Amino acid sequence: MSIVNISRHSLFHWTSATLLVALNWGCTPQTPSDSANSSAETKVPVVAVTQIVEHPALDAARDGIQDELNAAGYKPGDTLTWKWESAQGSPATAAQIASTFVAEEPDAIVAIATPSAQAVVAVNSDIPVIFSAVTDPVGAKLVESLEQPGGLVTGVTDLSPVDKHVELMQDITPNLNTIGVVYNAGESNSVSLVNLLKANAQQKGLSVVEATAANSSAVAEATRSLVGKVDVIYVPTDNTVVSALEALLQVAIENQIPVYAGETTSVERGAIASLGFDYYDVGRQTGKQVVRVLKGEAPADLPVESVETLQLYVNPPSAKKMGVTLPASVLEQADIVVEK
């Protein structure tokens, strides 16, 4: 009995050892550090982009951001996961997009225009946020200061040179006394610009008449309310109004009221003139900040940047439609002359 028991015991150990060898045959043990390195090598960064509305200026900024990322080696669909959503002009939709993006925990969230940036900041607690085309980041309570943003947010501001816009309107419309402005009072960026407009106009002895439009469908009616009250109409970088610019221009042409814009893409669409910057360049500048964040820099350490290069855009055919002849001095200074 004892011999049999010993043999079975030995057989059990031999069989177990044989199975262990078979199961591990050809396998190389993987240490925890090897596994971590493998995951790090395959991880593709995620950038989520939220845009308040689609119109040429903001679309150009978005294209610039994507091109800058691509140039830095972050290629959408390959070495970068790119997510993009438009709120179609709705603050409620912007809030929904912000909540969804924050829940998905991307490596960075890019917010194009003030309402989208505010929506993200309202629900975010730990994801880097880089804004683009925001007029007054401090007034919108996105950052503590331009030089030292603090927290998780930085970006590029598109504050318009409103003082130069007033001078440009005076140069082209010498008998200017009253400026009409159409804007959405729900956009804090527009409120800041209208306040700047009124301050600069007052310094030059001019008055400002306001007309508000809560949504794009109200832009034409708001414009009509200015007929007979103003000498010119100024369109600030208001997302609601710019998205419905053609409706405003039609009213202006019918009533021979010159229209000036706060950004240059609106001149390409039919405004008479603007002194501003290319929103594609704004996007490229924003993209550089996104790259720095993806490489490990903290938004708190990146000052908010401004766009310094300005270009004068003029549209002589549109001026003619509105009963205006552009002075030769203005045409000579123009960087871009739109002939349509």
Side-chain angles (χ1 to χ4, degrees):
M1 288 292 295
S2 61
I3 296 174
V4 174
N5 287 337
I6 292 170
S7 298
R8 287 175 179 171
H9 184 72
S10 301
L11 177 63
F12 172 79
H13 279 285
W14 179 87
T15 305
S16 299
T18 303
L19 286 171
L20 287 173
V21 170
L23 288 171
N24 288 284
W25 187 265
C27 294
T28 302
Q30 188 176 48
T31 65
S33 60
D34 289 337
S35 178
N37 289 337
S38 176
S39 298
E41 289 174 0
T42 58
K43 185 180 184 301
V44 175
V46 179
V47 171
V49 183
T50 172
Q51 182 174 327
I52 187 59
V53 72
E54 293 170 77
H55 61 65
L58 298 188
D59 293 348
R62 182 190 68 230
D63 292 344
I65 293 167
Q66 192 171 59
D67 287 352
E68 187 62 38
L69 286 169
N70 191 66
Y74 295 97
K75 303 180 185 300
D78 183 10
T79 54
L80 175 74
T81 297
W82 169 276
K83 298 183 178 183
W84 172 79
E85 292 287 348
S86 168
Q88 301 299 327
S90 168
T93 303
Q96 293 172 357
I97 293 169
S99 295
T100 299
F101 280 169
V102 168
E104 292 175 350
E105 299 183 342
D107 295 276
I109 296 177
V110 179
I112 302 177
T114 304
S116 287
Q118 289 176 315
V120 172
V121 169
V123 295
N124 181 53
S125 60
D126 57 3
I127 300 169
V129 178
I130 303 92
F131 59 75
S132 186
V134 167
T135 300
D136 185 3
V138 177
K141 298 182 180 179
L142 300 176
V143 296
E144 296 174 5
S145 74
L146 301 183
E147 297 77 16
Q148 297 179 317
L152 295 164
V153 186
T154 191
V156 178
T157 174
D158 66 342
L159 180 62
S160 301
V162 176
D163 56 338
K164 291 181 170 57
H165 291 167
V166 174
E167 292 173 0
L168 179 62
M169 288 186 273
Q170 287 182 305
D171 288 342
I172 298 175
T173 314
N175 297 322
L176 175 61
N177 291 305
T178 306
I179 302 170
V181 58
V182 184
Y183 69 104
N184 182 350
E187 292 190 29
S188 63
N189 52 300
S190 300
V191 174
S192 297
L193 287 170
V194 171
N195 287 336
L196 278 174
L197 175 66
K198 290 191 288 189
N200 280 279
Q202 186 177 24
Q203 291 175 4
K204 294 175 171 58
L206 306 174
S207 60
V208 174
V209 177
E210 303 172 37
T212 59
N215 51 59
S216 58
S217 61
V219 169
E221 187 59 34
T223 308
R224 278 192 284 270
S225 74
L226 297 174
V227 176
K229 301 176 184 177
V230 302
D231 300 309
V232 303
I233 293 175
Y234 176 69
V235 180
T237 53
D238 180 286
N239 297 293
T240 301
V241 178
V242 173
S243 68
L245 182 64
E246 283 71 21
L248 181 149
L249 291 170
Q250 186 59 42
V251 174
I253 290 170
E254 290 172 357
N255 294 277
Q256 296 288 277
I257 305 173
V259 176
Y260 298 90
E263 44 82 28
T264 57
T265 58
S266 289
V267 179
E268 295 174 340
R269 294 167 65 190
I272 289 178
S274 180
L275 184 66
F277 31 76
D278 189 330
Y279 270 77
Y280 178 78
D281 293 337
V282 174
R284 293 297 295 247
Q285 195 168 337
T286 306
K288 285 182 170 64
Q289 288 192 324
V290 178
V291 169
R292 293 176 68 179
V293 169
L294 291 177
K295 290 184 175 180
E297 293 190 59
D301 299 329
L302 302 178
V304 174
E305 298 178 8
S306 300
V307 183
E308 297 180 354
T309 303
L310 298 177
Q311 291 183 311
L312 174 58
Y313 278 53
V314 296
N315 189 325
S318 288
K320 186 177 181 180
K321 291 178 185 177
M322 297 173 195
V324 174
T325 300
L326 290 171
S329 58
V330 172
L331 288 169
E332 289 171 1
Q333 295 176 42
D335 297 288
I336 302 293
V337 178
V338 179
E339 296 292 352
K340 62 177 182 178

